[in-house]
Amino acid sequence: MEWAEAISEAIKYMESHITEDITMYEVADHVNISPFYFQKGFSMLCGYSIAEYMRNRRMALAGEELTTSDITVIDLAMKYCYDSPDSFTKAFTRFHGYTPLTVRKNKAMIKTFAPLKLTISMKGGYIMDYRIVRKESFAVLGVSKEFGYENAKQEIPLFWQEHYSSGKGEYVCGMFGVNIDPQMGNEKFEYLIADIYNPAVDIQDGFIVKTIPAFTWAVFPCKGALQDSMKDVNTKIFSEWLPALQDYEFAAGYCIEMYDAPNKYPNGTSDENYYTEIWIPVRKK
């Protein structure tokens, strides 16, 4: 199944199981794509994680049903996969701005959230730099932490902040951000802030050495302010490069971001010429 077709099929699958307590792993399995890459690609293309999309759709449908039927809040909570009326009420209030009782009694305004209809424009002729590089295994030294897929986008930047504020940045500068999920299907993945390992340097407490296996990598250069440039290239990988890819496919549950030294640029990571790379392991189809 091609990537664009898989995303569209995933949306259809979620819509048809919207009142069932399905997981991201079931959705990824349905379209036969590794959860490791599927969750990232879905978020890049659609703007929401799978869990966020399901939550928003359920709340929109629950709000509509509350205003057009006599269904009880308890039954709505059960129908849309909430453990209790209290947890449902809190989620409903966050989404709509009013409690279910207020909506029903006072005819308060509710919000809508329409089903996604993904359209990927395959115009051809776009310019996207990348290179295919064979790299032998190499060792990195860094700090490691596990993250769940759902909250990683918010929690990983905090992990970097903690790394530098604790003084660990003097020992490991952070040349790499490494995502590892060897089985490409776990609920959590390992993330490392790392540098190339120097065997001559003693390993301090709290740091580990990790060997990155030999792979053929698709390497994508990013130029510009860190957050904007990497987001732009990541989006293009999943919206343009991957749908047009014919010779290669994802090879393993690794993804590496390589960061140039910020002190080489007048404005650090915000500099218009700041350089980073995204590495994705690939193999011939």
Side-chain angles (χ1 to χ4, degrees), residues 140-183:
V140 296
L141 171 70
V143 290
S144 170
K145 189 173 182 178
E146 277 196 339
F147 293 93
Y149 282 108
E150 174 62 16
N151 298 316
K153 187 177 180 179
Q154 294 77 34
E155 293 178 353
I156 287 177
L158 298 178
F159 182 43
W160 280 88
Q161 291 177 20
E162 177 188 329
H163 175 73
Y164 290 121
S165 64
S166 67
K168 292 179 179 178
E170 296 180 8
Y171 188 60
V172 168
C173 298
M175 179 181 180
F176 301 112
V178 185
N179 296 261
I180 304 175
D181 180 359
Q183 283 73 46

Side-chain angles (χ1 to χ4, degrees), residues 65-89:
E65 200 164 347
L66 186 72
T67 61
T68 58
S69 73
D70 295 327
I71 189 170
T72 66
V73 172
I74 292 176
D75 288 340
L76 272 178
M78 293 180 61
K79 180 175 181 177
Y80 291 104
C81 308
Y82 283 82
D83 295 332
S84 69
D86 284 345
S87 61
F88 171 80
T89 295

Side-chain angles (χ1 to χ4, degrees), residues 26-269:
E26 292 173 82
V27 180
D29 182 65
H30 177 73
V31 295
N32 197 31
I33 294 179
S34 156
F36 182 83
Y37 289 108
F38 180 73
Q39 58 84 27
K40 185 172 185 178
F42 185 92
S43 178
M44 285 291 171
L45 291 176
C46 302
Y48 301 93
S49 71
I50 292 171
E52 287 172 330
Y53 177 77
M54 294 287 284
R55 263 199 313 271
N56 289 343
R57 285 292 294 139
R58 285 169 179 158
M59 284 297 102
L61 292 170
E64 181 181 347
E65 200 164 347
L66 186 72
T67 61
T68 58
S69 73
D70 295 327
I71 189 170
T72 66
V73 172
I74 292 176
D75 288 340
L76 272 178
M78 293 180 61
K79 180 175 181 177
Y80 291 104
C81 308
Y82 283 82
D83 295 332
S84 69
D86 284 345
S87 61
F88 171 80
T89 295
K90 289 178 182 177
F92 188 97
T93 305
R94 281 196 301 269
F95 183 82
H96 291 287
Y98 300 97
T99 65
L101 181 61
T102 300
V103 169
R104 174 157 280 170
K105 288 184 65 176
N106 301 332
K107 306 298 182 184
M109 298 287 287
I110 59 172
K111 292 181 172 63
T112 187
F113 185 84
L116 287 171
K117 293 184 179 179
L118 182 65
T119 301
I120 296 180
S121 178
M122 299 290 289
K123 297 178 181 179
Y126 63 84
I127 297 174
M128 185 175 187
D129 293 333
Y130 74 98
R131 64 186 186 275
I132 301 295
V133 180
R134 176 69 183 178
K135 292 181 180 289
E136 296 305 316
S137 63
F138 63 97
V140 296
L141 171 70
V143 290
S144 170
K145 189 173 182 178
E146 277 196 339
F147 293 93
Y149 282 108
E150 174 62 16
N151 298 316
K153 187 177 180 179
Q154 294 77 34
E155 293 178 353
I156 287 177
L158 298 178
F159 182 43
W160 280 88
Q161 291 177 20
E162 177 188 329
H163 175 73
Y164 290 121
S165 64
S166 67
K168 292 179 179 178
E170 296 180 8
Y171 188 60
V172 168
C173 298
M175 179 181 180
F176 301 112
V178 185
N179 296 261
I180 304 175
D181 180 359
Q183 283 73 46
M184 294 195 291
N186 294 323
E187 293 186 5
K188 294 184 178 182
F189 65 94
E190 182 181 12
Y191 183 87
L192 284 86
I193 299 172
D195 290 341
I196 293 291
Y197 171 55
N198 181 356
V201 176
D202 292 334
I203 302 173
Q204 296 187 7
D205 291 341
F207 292 83
I208 65 169
V209 174
K210 179 77 69 171
T211 298
I212 308 299
F215 287 119
T216 297
W217 300 86
V219 178
F220 301 86
C222 312
K223 186 178 180 181
L226 176 60
Q227 297 300 326
D228 292 339
S229 64
M230 296 206 90
K231 180 180 179 181
D232 180 59
V233 171
N234 262 313
T235 299
K236 286 182 177 179
I237 289 172
F238 287 96
S239 65
E240 299 178 356
W241 180 77
L242 186 57
L245 196 61
Q246 295 182 354
D247 297 330
Y248 292 92
E249 62 185 2
F250 290 134
Y254 285 79
C255 182
I256 295 178
E257 295 176 351
M258 189 282 293
Y259 309 101
D260 203 0
N263 59 12
K264 292 167 58 177
Y265 302 87
N267 297 310
T269 61

